[in-house]
Amino acid sequence: QGLWCMSRRAVLARSLAVLTLPQGLLPRARAAEFTTTAGGARRSSGDGDPHRLAVPELAPGSRRLYLCRHGETDWNVAGRVQGMTDIPLNPNGRSQAAALAAILADVPIGLVASSALGRASSTADAVAALHPGARRLVDASFNEMNFGSLEGEELRGGSPRREEYEARLAEWEAGRTSVRLPGGGESPEEVAARALKGLRELGALPPFAAAAGGAGVPSCPRHVCLVAHGRFNKILLAALRGDVSRASQVAQGNTAVNIVDIDEGGACTVVAVNLLDHLRAAAQPP
C-alpha cells in the first residue's frame, strides 16, 4: 500500500525510513542525501493564516523545488490509468488547484513549470496566476509516464490488467527498472532520465551556473514550482535519491506538494513529501 491511507505523521516517518537508504549517484552530481528535516513543512498555526505554507529558510546557494501533482480528473475518480492521455481537470480538481495556489501564494516562486498535459498545465496556471512576476514554462519532459496499452484501463479489483501492472511493479521494486510497460510504454529509467534532464535544463540541478548559462537565457530562480503527475513525481523523487526502484513507496495525492532543497554540490534534503494540508484547510469554514 506504500504511503497511502496513513496519517501525516506516519507518512513523514515512513518517508524518512525510505529516503535515508544508501544513495546512488546523480548524473553530474554527487550522491543525494535525501532526508526529511525535523522541522518539515506545515500549515501556519496560532496567529498565522492556516492557508499559507510555513517552511524552513532556504540555505544560501541552494535551490528549492516545489514538486506538485495536478488536481483531480474524472479518470482519477474512476481509477483509470491516464498516462500520456490528455484528460482535463474536473470541477473538484479545479478547486484543488485553487487551494494549491493559495498555500503557495506567499512563496517567492520565480518559475512555474509544468508538463504539457492539460491537467498539470491547468494546475500550474492557477499557481502562476498568484505569481505574476514568475516565468511560466511548459515542457513535455515533465509529462506523465507513458503507460502504453494500460492507458484508459481501470485497475481496481480483480482486473486482469491490474495483475499485469502489479507484475511490472514487482519487477521494478526488484531493481529491474529498465523494464517497460506493455504496448509501447516507458520504463522508470526512461522517465527518470528525461525528468532529470528537464530539471538540469531549467537550471534547478547543479551545476547551477552552467545549466542556466547561455546568451539570452535567464538564470534559474532559487524557488521553482514544477507541476507534474503521480507516477512521474514518484520516479523523480526516487531518482533524486539514487534508487528508482523505491518509487512505489512514495505516495502522491492530487495536488500533493513535495519540497526538495538542492545545494550547490547536488545534495538533496526533503522538506515535505505528499503534503496535502491545503485541501484540509480549503474544506474548513473561514
Side-chain angles (χ1 to χ4, degrees), residues 30-158:
R30 65 188 176 85
E33 185 183 351
F34 223 52
T35 60
T36 305
T37 60
R42 63 192 188 283
R43 284 188 292 115
S44 300
S45 58
D47 296 333
D49 185 341
H51 297 78
R52 294 293 184 262
L53 192 67
V55 293
E57 184 176 353
L58 180 61
S62 294
R63 298 287 192 274
R64 176 164 285 168
L65 176 65
Y66 301 84
L67 177 64
C68 307
R69 189 187 176 198
H70 62 79
E72 183 185 87
T73 72
D74 287 343
W75 279 26
N76 287 145
V77 176
R80 298 178 68 184
V81 177
Q82 297 180 113
M84 296 287 287
T85 308
D86 203 356
I87 306 299
L89 298 178
N90 64 19
N92 187 49
R94 291 192 289 273
S95 296
Q96 291 175 337
L100 173 66
I103 202 172
L104 294 175
D106 291 339
V107 175
I109 293 171
L111 171 63
V112 180
S114 75
S115 98
L117 298 173
R119 57 193 184 271
S121 183
S122 296
T123 304
D125 286 344
V127 175
L130 299 186
H131 296 273
R135 285 193 289 133
R136 179 74 178 89
L137 182 143
V138 176
D139 189 340
S141 297
F142 306 128
N143 283 2
E144 177 61 298
M145 185 178 208
N146 186 334
F147 277 75
S149 61
L150 291 176
E151 294 195 10
E153 296 284 344
E154 292 187 20
L155 299 183
R156 292 175 173 169

Side-chain angles (χ1 to χ4, degrees), residues 11 13 38 53 57 70 73 81 113 122 168 178 193 209 211 219 224 228 256-257 264:
V11 166
L53 192 67
E57 184 176 353
H70 62 79
T73 72
V81 177
S122 296
R168 283 294 197 279
S178 63
S219 62
V224 175
V257 180
E264 293 174 296

Side-chain angles (χ1 to χ4, degrees), residues 268-282:
C268 300
T269 300
V270 175
V271 180
V273 175
N274 197 36
L275 182 66
L276 295 167
D277 284 1
H278 53 285
L279 299 185
R280 289 185 281 273

